Amino acid sequence: MKPRIAIPTPNSDAAYSTRTLPKYMGAVERAGGEPVEVSILATPGEIAQLGKTCDAVLLPGSHADVDPQRFGAERDPRTAAPDPRREDADELLIQDAHNMRKPILGICFGMQSLNVWRTGTLVQHIESPVRHARSSGVPTTESITHPVVVESHSLLARILGQQHGSPKITVNSSHHQSVQIAGDGLRVCARCPDDGIIEAIENVSPAQFIIGVQWHPERTYDEDEQSKAIFRALIEAARQWHERMMNGGKPDFESIGH
């Protein structure tokens, strides 16, 4: 049986979600999981019930920004409008995953949403000479990337096969916000070396698989082994979680990535 991965609809904008959701679902499928779309138009009860049938949560990107009120900040004029339905769905899925110690992978907005739920804060607009997002007028055919250094001995480093030293990887650039202060129980595990922008976070405790990345591994799944490794780690963690629930034991998350 394939692990079931809950994925909330990326955004209330149907056209945006129709364009982006298949990438996440395809990556989950190719990594060995069963993607389960959780409609953000459903009732809270329906979202909670569907979430309970899943073994892990994948929080995708969105072209909305998290409402700054959720982390006690005044809204920057460059902050995009929030998407309350998406934020509410994320909260329900994260709460279930927190209660049951289900694996969570947050991507871009999903990482930010997770961090805010854990009482962390966000940089509302990145000011940097590094291109973290596609500038206006730059064609989508042009690849925009930037470097990221992953902390050695982190879970993310093990997943990427980069346990020794401080490995530098290249990731796609597609975000104008980032984590400012990591939330409770989370630690920074990757930064952009040129400006210090936080690029990935993970759970402090090995008892629950939680990783958030600012880049979009679903977009590069087919041609990038590190992108594949992130999704495979999520599916393996979900499989271990399911086995724990069936057998009454606890999976050893320390082994993931070895």
Side-chain angles (χ1 to χ4, degrees), residues 17 26 34 60 95 101 108 112 123 146 150 212 229:
S17 296
E34 177 187 347
Q95 182 67 63
R101 290 189 175 181
C108 201
Q112 296 161 10
V123 175
H146 64 279
V150 180

Side-chain angles (χ1 to χ4, degrees), residues 126-243:
I126 297 171
E127 298 281 2
S128 170
V130 177
R131 289 203 295 178
H132 288 275
R134 186 177 301 278
S135 304
S136 177
V138 176
T140 56
T141 53
E142 182 179 339
S143 178
I144 308 297
T145 62
H146 64 279
V148 166
V149 171
V150 180
E151 291 291 331
S152 60
H153 308 298
S154 64
L155 174 58
L156 181 59
R158 295 204 303 273
I159 288 170
L160 300 178
Q162 308 267 359
Q163 301 97 313
H164 307 294
S166 295
K168 183 182 289 188
I169 62 175
T170 300
V171 301
N172 48 46
S173 303
S174 190
H175 64 104
H176 84 111
Q177 296 197 337
S178 66
V179 167
Q180 182 180 52
I181 298 174
D184 292 343
L186 298 172
R187 64 184 171 206
V188 177
C189 58
R191 291 180 182 269
C192 174
D194 300 326
D195 57 13
I197 291 294
I198 295 172
E199 294 282 346
I201 55 176
E202 65 184 36
N203 210 27
V204 170
S205 170
Q208 184 182 8
F209 176 102
I210 298 178
I211 287 181
V213 296
Q214 271 302 151
W215 62 94
H216 285 267
E218 82 284 356
R219 296 179 183 174
T220 51
Y221 184 93
D222 290 331
E223 63 267 17
D224 179 51
E225 287 302 318
Q226 292 176 331
S227 297
K228 291 175 183 170
I230 290 171
F231 281 95
R232 288 170 179 165
L234 172 67
I235 302 308
E236 178 58 24
R239 183 177 291 110
Q240 290 184 18
W241 182 88
H242 184 84
E243 290 175 357

Side-chain angles (χ1 to χ4, degrees), residues 4-10 20-29 34-40 50-51 54 56-61 86 89-90 93 231 234:
R4 287 167 56 85
I5 313 300
I7 310 175
T9 310
T20 59
L21 181 61
K23 285 283 189 182
Y24 299 99
M25 299 185 77
V28 166
E29 286 180 337
E34 177 187 347
V36 178
E37 181 184 359
V38 178
S39 173
I40 61 176
L50 186 53
C54 296
V57 175
L58 192 167
L59 302 172
R86 169 64 198 276
D90 279 16
L93 294 172
F231 281 95
L234 172 67

Side-chain angles (χ1 to χ4, degrees), residues 84-113:
R85 287 184 180 274
R86 169 64 198 276
E87 291 182 15
D88 291 346
D90 279 16
E91 186 170 348
L92 288 166
L93 294 172
I94 295 171
Q95 182 67 63
D96 173 62
H98 174 76
N99 292 342
M100 300 300 295
R101 290 189 175 181
K102 291 180 181 178
I104 301 174
L105 171 61
I107 294 175
C108 201
F109 175 96
M111 167 178 161
Q112 296 161 10
S113 178

